[in-house]
Amino acid sequence: MKKFIPLIILIVLCLFPVVIQNAYYQHLMILVFIWVAIGSGWNVIAGFTGQVSFGDAAFFGTGAYTAGLLAHHFHISAWWGMAFGGFAAMAVAFPFGWICFRLRGPYFALASLALNEVCRHIATIAEPLTQGMVGILIMPTFLSKIPYYYIALALAVLSVVFVQFVMKSKWGYYFLSIREDQDAAESMGIDTHKYKMVSLNIAAFLTGMAGALFMNYMGFIDPEVVFSLHDISIMAILVGIIGGVGTIYGPAVGALVMVAVHEFFRTGFFGLFKGLAAMTGSDAMISVAKTISHAHVLGFGILVVLVILYLPNGIVGDWDKLVGKIIPFKKKEAAS
Amino acid sequence: MILFELKNLVKHFGGLAAVQNVSFQVEKGEIFGLIGPNGSGKTTIFNCISNYFPVTSGSIHFNGQDITGLKTNKICKAGIGRTFQVVKPLGRLSVLDNVIAAAFSKAKNKKEAHDIAMETLEFCGLMHRKDIIAKSLPIGERKRLEITRSMATRPELLLLDETAAGLTPTEVDVAIDLIKKIRDSGVTIIIVEHIMKVIMTISDRIHAINFGQTIAHGTPKEVSNHKAVIEAYLGEEYAHS
Ligand SMILES: Nc1ncnc2c1ncn2[C@@H]1O[C@H](COP(=O)(O)OP(=O)(O)OP(=O)(O)O)[C@@H](O)[C@H]1O
Ligand SMILES: [Mg+2]
């Protein structure tokens, strides 16, 4: 039975836009799929290989700009960015990893944070190329959300399947060995520098593809959006942590939860506070309704604290524990 | 035939001379004991051989080739396996996965890696633990996992760093049997050990160091009767009496 769950979920997702024709929900699902790809990439380097990246936006933005600039400067379809965006992100990841993986400890994490900021500044300053803060606007290919939905779904599924495939191969064993103990890994004949590079480039490729899709779908990007530290890099970490670091399906679950939480705050608890403000007419409520949408970072923080306290292995990693907590009798059954 | 040779190895940590001009040769097929009191530089010699850190001077030769400065993973690939005195299990992986990861160093594909791993687990007597998470193994079996993992890389030369320390007397006997079995399978061994029973019964030749310098070498009998060795281990009074 458990074996069929991914298949059932896939069928449900394929039918989703047919059943739910509301564009808003389709939009949210497209975002979820984009985050599944980003989260899967982050999980490869951070979750499985143990090299925590704080700069995923560098790869995401590079992918997005690759798509945008191809369309803007060369007037070719931004969909080419899906092919080139991943490789462009690898072109950023390669020299970066080459240098930073020579150092151990927190240097990679710190350097990735810096890489994020460097990329954002370059995209802002290089106006002749990127139009700086003006951003890049392209004509969307489709008016309906449905084509984007299926393309995003394909990207998400391919990301998860690809990561699963990699983790069952020699590379997967090497990534885990590096995460668990670098000295032991080296003494087992694993070229830790090389395989950290492989891992980072897989992450960059998936994240770059997600960025290119984002450009195609949203039709507009600027440096603040696609190289955003908290909306992309930190969000990627949250997707990873909440879903379950180092699990195959963790990023998928994390993406769903995080997009929901993000939306929950952005809309002021789905309009709850706006409604309350209108109903009560109280000044306090009105100001809460106005500011609550900016409080999503606070909400993320609280969520992370709760997850780390109660589900340190994320929703997928601690699934049995979670089920046991929600349905206590099931736990007793298992114990007896 | 000489399989391995250390020539004038020197290693300084800042002002501390941890290894000073140590040279020895290891014959193919022998068990070569390396002894010395705590802090005398035994582990440092192993770390220099596997290039965990660079040597200050001197050279290391294996199978007639100068391997000084080769990267750690290349040393393993060349055929030198090692265990760590402070064990380094891949904690959150199963015992089997620990060994598979190592087996990939010689295997062409996953199936081959799996086969090598199973064979090595059987050989080292850890098969009954294969599905256990490595960090939940007791210390005796963690030490055995170190050996199993390094054996899965199919080494010609194995460096064992205190694999019997902290074991119960029965476990020590089992460890001795395993080490002999490994030697009989054609693997040359350099062993560091404090437990005299182990080192004296299984070594063909012994090299003794103190404060990073060679103080004696020869057969177990010669070395155990050597004045400098007794002095180093028991203090000067005992040597004179
Ligand atoms: N990475 C290091 N940095 C600085 N000093 C070190 C380092 N490793 C070892 N030393 C020092 O070098 C000397 C030799 O240490 P080593 O670990 O080689 O001894 P040992 O013979 O293996 O001892 P033991 O029997 O206790 O394992 C010690 O004085 C130790 O403090
Ligand atoms: Mg030691």
Side-chain angles (χ1 to χ4, degrees):
Chain A
M1 183 58 213
K2 238 184 172 165
K3 251 167 67 184
F4 295 111
I5 291 178
L7 195 67
I8 294 168
I9 292 176
L10 187 62
I11 292 170
V12 169
L13 290 175
C14 284
L15 294 176
F16 182 88
V18 182
V19 179
I20 313 269
Q21 290 182 347
N22 183 323
Y24 172 64
Y25 291 111
Q26 291 175 356
H27 164 73
L28 288 186
M29 287 310 287
I30 293 169
L31 291 184
V32 169
F33 296 148
I34 290 176
W35 278 107
V36 173
I38 301 170
S40 294
W42 182 85
N43 201 27
V44 169
I45 183 68
F48 291 119
T49 318
Q51 313 297 312
V52 178
S53 159
F54 281 81
D56 257 30
F59 309 131
F60 183 80
T62 302
Y65 266 97
T66 304
L69 295 178
L70 281 176
H72 186 77
H73 289 294
F74 301 108
H75 306 289
I76 60 173
S77 164
W79 290 105
W80 283 104
M82 289 291 283
F84 295 121
F87 291 109
M90 279 167 73
V92 172
F94 202 90
F96 172 71
W98 189 262
I99 297 165
C100 293
F101 285 141
R102 302 206 169 264
L103 306 166
R104 288 199 191 177
Y107 296 104
F108 173 74
L110 294 173
S112 65
L113 193 69
L115 178 71
N116 189 153
E117 292 306 279
V118 167
C119 287
R120 191 168 58 82
H121 282 294
I122 290 176
T124 312
I125 295 164
E127 279 178 7
L129 181 69
T130 65
Q131 305 207 81
M133 289 306 288
V134 175
I136 304 270
L137 186 69
I138 61 168
M139 287 311 282
T141 324
F142 311 108
L143 286 176
S144 155
K145 298 229 180 274
I146 294 188
Y148 294 108
Y149 180 94
Y150 285 109
I151 293 167
L153 174 61
L155 179 66
V157 171
L158 283 178
S159 302
V160 173
V161 170
F162 178 63
V163 171
Q164 189 166 30
F165 171 76
V166 165
M167 290 315 296
K168 280 186 180 155
S169 72
K170 170 169 123 177
W171 287 1
Y173 280 91
Y174 281 10
F175 295 167
L176 292 173
S177 303
I178 292 168
R179 177 186 78 187
E180 293 299 309
D181 196 306
Q182 278 196 55
D183 293 334
E186 275 283 332
S187 80
M188 287 152 60
I190 300 170
D191 187 338
T192 53
H193 185 262
K194 175 176 160 188
Y195 286 97
K196 280 192 258 179
M197 289 291 289
V198 171
S199 175
L200 179 67
N201 279 280
I202 291 174
F205 187 79
L206 293 178
T207 312
M209 291 242 291
L213 176 59
F214 184 83
M215 169 82 259
N216 276 289
Y217 174 56
M218 300 302 274
F220 173 77
I221 55 170
D222 74 19
E224 298 292 322
V225 172
V226 293
F227 288 114
S228 162
L229 185 63
H230 69 267
D231 277 341
I232 306 292
S233 295
I234 303 295
M235 178 94 167
I237 298 172
L238 296 175
V239 166
I241 290 178
I242 287 175
V245 172
T247 61
I248 300 285
Y249 295 108
V253 175
L256 188 69
V257 172
M258 285 313 298
V259 168
V261 171
H262 193 274
E263 201 58 15
F264 192 51
F265 276 93
R266 197 185 63 81
T267 55
F269 293 16
F270 296 138
L272 173 72
F273 283 101
K274 257 203 196 115
L276 282 178
M279 235 163 62
T280 58
S282 111
D283 284 345
M285 267 305 158
I286 291 168
S287 55
V288 167
K290 270 189 189 142
T291 52
I292 194 76
S293 63
H294 300 296
H296 68 274
V297 180
L298 180 69
F300 289 0
I302 293 170
L303 191 64
V304 167
V305 170
L306 289 177
V307 165
I308 289 175
L309 276 180
Y310 296 106
L311 302 170
N313 301 310
I315 295 172
V316 171
D318 279 328
W319 181 251
D320 295 333
K321 205 163 126 190
L322 190 70
V323 171
K325 269 198 184 122
I326 296 170
I327 318 172
F329 67 85
K330 208 169 170 185
K331 198 162 141 195
K332 272 184 214 133
E333 235 171 60
S336 65
Chain B
M1 182 201 141
I2 291 161
L3 179 68
F4 176 86
E5 186 174 9
L6 208 60
K7 279 189 189 158
N8 307 318
L9 181 73
V10 177
K11 177 66 195 177
H12 290 193
F13 292 113
L16 174 80
V19 181
Q20 306 175 50
N21 221 19
V22 171
S23 303
F24 58 72
Q25 295 182 332
V26 180
E27 298 272 344
K28 191 168 175 59
E30 74 173 332
I31 296 182
F32 186 90
L34 181 61
I35 64 168
N38 287 113
S40 56
K42 305 178 296 294
T43 300
T44 304
I45 291 177
F46 275 12
N47 285 339
C48 287
I49 295 172
S50 57
N51 197 11
Y52 180 63
F53 34 57
V55 303
T56 305
S57 70
S59 62
I60 303 156
H61 303 262
F62 180 62
N63 264 333
Q65 275 174 330
D66 188 344
I67 58 161
T68 324
L70 224 55
K71 282 215 267 162
T72 305
N73 65 80
K74 295 284 182 313
I75 301 271
C76 169
K77 286 249 158 86
I80 302 181
R82 76 167 292 186
T83 67
F84 291 94
Q85 178 175 2
V86 180
V87 292
K88 294 179 183 290
L90 308 177
R92 284 176 285 179
L93 305 192
S94 72
V95 168
L96 176 61
D97 285 346
N98 266 263
V99 186
I100 290 178
F104 271 117
S105 118
K106 291 283 152 68
K108 280 183 219 67
N109 53 43
K110 174 131 183 231
K111 180 171 182 310
E112 207 177 310
H114 187 266
D115 291 346
I116 293 177
M118 293 297 274
E119 203 179 289
T120 314
L121 281 168
E122 186 68 52
F123 183 87
C124 296
L126 212 54
M127 188 58 107
H128 61 297
R129 292 297 211 186
K130 75 175 174 28
D131 297 321
I132 303 243
I133 296 299
K135 71 175 168 201
S136 63
L137 286 177
I139 182 67
E141 284 175 337
R142 283 190 201 198
K143 296 233 162 185
R144 181 156 292 228
L145 176 59
E146 285 280 316
I147 301 178
T148 314
R149 217 170 49 192
S150 53
M151 280 301 285
T153 68
R154 295 271 160 98
E156 256 183 276
L157 174 68
L158 187 57
L159 313 177
L160 297 176
D161 197 350
E162 304 206 11
T163 45
L167 304 192
T168 64
T170 12
E171 285 175 330
V172 168
D173 289 337
V174 177
I176 291 175
D177 287 342
L178 176 60
I179 294 166
K180 282 181 177 162
K181 202 166 123 187
I182 290 171
R183 191 261 319 264
D184 293 343
S185 76
V187 178
T188 307
I189 294 170
I190 304 179
I191 180 168
V192 164
E193 199 51 79
H194 274 303
I195 305 176
M196 282 303 145
K197 179 184 165 193
V198 176
I199 204 91
M200 290 299 164
T201 52
I202 64 174
S203 305
D204 296 305
R205 291 187 303 136
I206 290 177
H207 192 98
I209 59 170
N210 196 13
F211 300 113
Q213 282 173 314
T214 300
I215 52 171
H217 54 90
T219 62
K221 200 155 181 205
E222 286 164 4
V223 170
S224 58
N225 292 326
H226 200 285
K227 187 164 158 277
V229 176
I230 299 169
E231 254 177 40
Y233 272 89
L234 302 171
E236 272 183 43
E237 319 78 275
Y238 287 90
H240 292 301
S241 61

